[in-house]
Amino acid sequence: MSKPPPEFREVFKTAVVMAVLATIAVFLRLLAKRCTKTGLKADDVWILLGLASFWVYVGLVIWGAFAGSTRGDVMNRAVKTAIMTFGVSITATKISILCLYHRLFPTPVFRRATVLLGVICVLWLMASEIVFGLQCVSILGFSHKRAHSCIDVERYFLSTNITETIIDFAILCLPLRVVSSLQLPPRQKTVLYMTFLVGGFACITGIVRTVLTYPQTNTQNSFKNGLVWSNTQLGTSIVSACLPIYRPLLAKCALFHASVSSSYRSLLSNRQFSKDPPAGGPPRDDESGRARSQYTHSGGPHDDQSRLTKVTGGRVKGAPVVMNANLPLHSISVRSSIEIV
């Protein structure tokens, strides 16, 4: 197999890297869903469709990069199909985010807004796919067997990129007003804002893609930059769509980390206490080496207090021990529980 052209290698690398990152993000999303045992929802199905379309896009890019190095027509056909597949993947990702919003926020007005944006996304996809697929076919010229010319591809990409970026910003800002009205502590509200606004990076990549591809002073370089940033936009969009689902998984990880840390600290404390007894401390048992405590208590059978009169090796002598109190003994808190019979 021949090597891809130098100008196509960067496109190939970014496509593979971003597809792998998107796959990891979706895998963690499904793992989080398994932790909550909620099953797959509509937003999960759409994100899986977006990921599958992304891998089809990557396959077309690889095909165009390697097979097209010797045949220019193969590269053109592969790139054209990849661009159309890009529209399917990015639209499926947008609809996944809207389905998530529709599920999380039950406000009727908000839900109608999500449905409206979903319809706009589908219409954008249909218009862009039809125009690009028929870019060199004139319906009037075909029916009357007249000569026809292709559309201005540069203006086509500019218009689709601008409208797509506007839709992205509308989706990004959609939940902010609802989040601001929630009765939550400031810290939790800030976390929610950051979770939803992280999708702004996908909007930024869309703007960068538009700026780098228009105007096309260098057609080949602009085309390469457009594909590179299209790869980046697809990957970041899928990752951003998965981030709000990770909270149960993060909670599990935090609980596991706290359990491991607590066990480790307890183990170190026990070892330090057994190896370093205080000066003038209690005698050690010959077999186990554990310190022994000797104490007597005074008080009648119905007293509510017991008085600790002697603790061998302890720092507290003659201190009253109240029911269910904590007794400090060499940095170890000893829980006493006295049962009154």
Side-chain angles (χ1 to χ4, degrees), residues 238-256:
I238 293 177
V239 172
S240 301
C242 294
L243 287 179
I245 312 296
Y246 290 160
R247 186 171 182 178
L249 190 61
L250 295 176
K252 288 273 187 182
C253 293
L255 184 62
F256 176 75

Side-chain angles (χ1 to χ4, degrees), residues 122-321:
V122 174
L123 293 177
W124 175 88
L125 174 65
M126 294 174 60
S128 60
E129 299 289 80
I130 292 174
V131 172
F132 188 75
L134 302 177
Q135 58 179 296
C136 286
V137 176
S138 173
I139 304 299
L140 182 62
F142 177 77
S143 59
H144 294 279
K145 297 182 180 181
R146 296 176 181 174
H148 58 271
S149 60
C150 298
I151 63 172
D152 190 337
V153 178
E154 182 178 345
R155 293 184 179 179
Y156 163 80
F157 283 123
L158 179 63
S159 59
T160 54
N161 290 348
I162 291 176
T163 52
E164 181 193 356
T165 303
I166 293 173
I167 295 173
D168 287 341
F169 273 105
I171 295 175
L172 180 67
C173 299
L174 187 62
L176 298 184
R177 184 176 181 181
V178 180
V179 173
S180 64
S181 63
L182 296 177
Q183 301 298 323
L184 294 174
R187 184 177 180 182
Q188 294 185 15
K189 190 174 291 189
T190 302
V191 171
L192 280 177
Y193 276 128
M194 297 302 297
T195 301
F196 290 117
L197 287 176
V198 75
F201 189 70
C203 299
I204 295 175
T205 56
I207 294 174
V208 173
R209 178 165 62 101
T210 304
V211 172
L212 292 180
T213 56
Y214 186 87
Q216 294 184 351
T217 54
N218 186 335
T219 305
Q220 188 175 18
N221 189 53
S222 299
F223 184 69
K224 182 201 72 173
N225 291 334
L227 287 177
V228 168
W229 283 97
S230 295
N231 302 337
T232 307
Q233 184 181 8
L234 271 179
T236 54
S237 298
I238 293 177
V239 172
S240 301
C242 294
L243 287 179
I245 312 296
Y246 290 160
R247 186 171 182 178
L249 190 61
L250 295 176
K252 288 273 187 182
C253 293
L255 184 62
F256 176 75
H257 180 267
S259 176
V260 172
S261 300
S262 177
S263 300
Y264 182 69
R265 286 194 299 266
S266 177
L267 178 63
L268 289 181
S269 180
N270 291 336
R271 287 183 177 180
Q272 183 179 3
F273 178 71
S274 61
K275 291 181 180 180
D276 301 322
R284 290 183 177 273
D285 186 77
D286 294 338
E287 295 181 359
S288 63
R290 292 176 296 180
R292 294 192 297 253
S293 298
Q294 299 175 357
Y295 67 90
T296 59
H297 83 280
S298 62
H302 301 292
D303 287 348
D304 290 341
Q305 289 187 348
S306 289
R307 184 169 294 278
L308 190 66
T309 59
K310 182 180 180 182
V311 178
T312 305
R315 293 182 291 182
V316 180
K317 293 186 179 182
V321 182

Side-chain angles (χ1 to χ4, degrees), residues 37-73:
K37 299 180 180 179
T38 55
L40 295 179
K41 304 296 182 181
D43 50 290
D44 303 311
V45 175
W46 279 104
I47 202 67
L48 288 173
L49 176 61
L51 180 64
S53 303
F54 192 6
W55 275 109
V56 173
Y57 168 86
V58 173
L60 291 169
V61 169
I62 295 174
W63 177 42
F66 287 93
S69 59
T70 55
R71 294 181 56 187
D73 59 330

